[in-house]
Amino acid sequence: MAKLLSCVLGPRLYKIYRERDSERAPASVPETPTAVTAPHSSSWDTYYQPRALEKHADSILALASVFWSISYYSSPFAFFYLYRKGYLSLSKVVPFSHYAGTLLLLLAGVACLRALFPVLFLPGIGRWTNPQYRQFITILEATHRNQSSENKRQLANYNFDFRSWPVDFHWEEPSSRKESRGGPSRRGVALLRPEPLHRGTADTLLNRVKKLPCQITSYLVAHTLGRRMLYPGSVYLLQKALMPVLLQGQARLVEECNGRRAKLLACDGNEIDTMFVDRRGTAEPQGQKLVICCEGNAGFYEVGCVSTPLEAGYSVLGWNHPGFAGSTGVPFPQNEANAMDVVVQFAIHRLGFQPQDIIIYAWSIGGFTATWAAMSYPDVSAMILDASFDDLVPLALKVMPDSWRGLVTRTVRQHLNLNNAEQLCRYQGPVLLIRRTKDEIITTTVPEDIMSNRGNDLLLKLLQHRYPRVMAEEGLRVVRQWLEASSQLEEASIYSRWEVEEDWCLSVLRSYQAEHGPDFPWSVGEDMSADGRRQLALFLARKHLHNFEATHCTPLPAQNFQMPWHL
């Protein structure tokens, strides 16, 4: 009976991975008392085959979940339609509320009786009669009792509902954080806060009351429409549609790349789904470096940008945003930074990589967590930002009506402040920006208008912070001309027009670094001619930004994944 109850309450099992000899425990590792022999590919199908009872019952429950999600997301439109048709008058609302109340009572009754309702017992009965599922639930229960390496190795052969996966790493696990007060609190890690919209205004009680309606409106917009527009990957219906693709991608990472999945507990209580591929045992020297990948707003590590550094031979750690796939929570900036913090801590304290061996690689909106990590962990080796932007406000204003300008700006600054450039300027290490020349997402006009690409602004703000004397009027003007070039031929033409001597530029920068140290900002170019500043500005721009002739979502080839330039 206990086993039947475990099957009824157990998670949904999606796939049984093919077991490889490289995954098996060494002969010197003793068997633990709670260890259970894992299935072998010779006698088990790689895709879990549920029995008929479990299959049909799961389909019913999944269909009900989809209908609920559709009703939830369409409710504002339904409310607006009923209002326009006059169905929300008092004479019609009262009888309608009776019907709605009766329906809610029925749903509440079903929820209370779900443990006794036959359709919910059907998956458990089907699982109980299935030896594959009984084998799996035994291993899962053994792992929850004793998280030995052998039990976790056997559990890794299964792909199942990640909510039941045991926690592998806790944000408080590093001993330095337990002893120090400088680490994150349960409220979250530190973020750069935006300046008030009206500086110098007295913060009196009357002003607070006047601002209250605007603040409430901004909060509602951010927590309903805004968050889902900014991170569509957190929408349940999209995840449901992508589920087969995500399962296939995860199987590829585990079976072909020997990936190891892990659940990390962030300081805000969110559980973060990660995948680690270790290349340190290979002959390729880049395998000693770890690339932490930060995905886009509809990207998942199963099918995201992790493929680029994997093909290039690096060790890779991918993770999903809060609310994406196996990760819990919602992807607001604070939660995003909390998740990134525990991912970096996991890489250092559990995977054993030194910060100097870690590279942060981000695509699109992942630039926020990447720049936060570089700002908060300044010893990381380098950072690569692909198709990213400087600030969210211009891109948000692009897709919203002009009449909403004040509301959009306020909502972004207070609740969705992705200030990539501000965070990037706090990092002292090597940076490479990759600009998509046909990007249709982070341009504020049309993809053909390359000067409206917000990657340009990210480069200019970085160079102006690091080399303010070089990026004075002459340097800024010539870099803008170079950014406006629509082809490699035009870029080379501008570069040669100003007769940039790269050896001279390198000698100037190295001499300054030797005399004044590596910390930015530099005052190099202060006593330099206008022609010299132009040469240095073009040289630095070319070293910090590479063009990739593609649209926003085109996968980056491995040959384009290059380490940032540094002296």
Side-chain angles (χ1 to χ4, degrees), residues 474-508:
E474 303 89 353
L476 183 61
R477 186 184 302 114
V478 75
V479 170
R480 287 187 182 277
Q481 292 176 7
W482 180 77
L483 289 172
E484 198 171 357
S486 58
S487 65
Q488 292 183 354
L489 185 61
E490 287 186 33
E491 285 182 31
S493 174
I494 295 173
Y495 204 73
S496 61
R497 183 195 312 167
W498 295 105
E499 299 179 348
V500 179
E501 299 179 15
E502 296 197 352
D503 291 338
W504 175 80
C505 293
L506 281 172
S507 65
V508 170

Side-chain angles (χ1 to χ4, degrees), residues 24-30:
R24 300 185 183 183
S28 58
V29 178

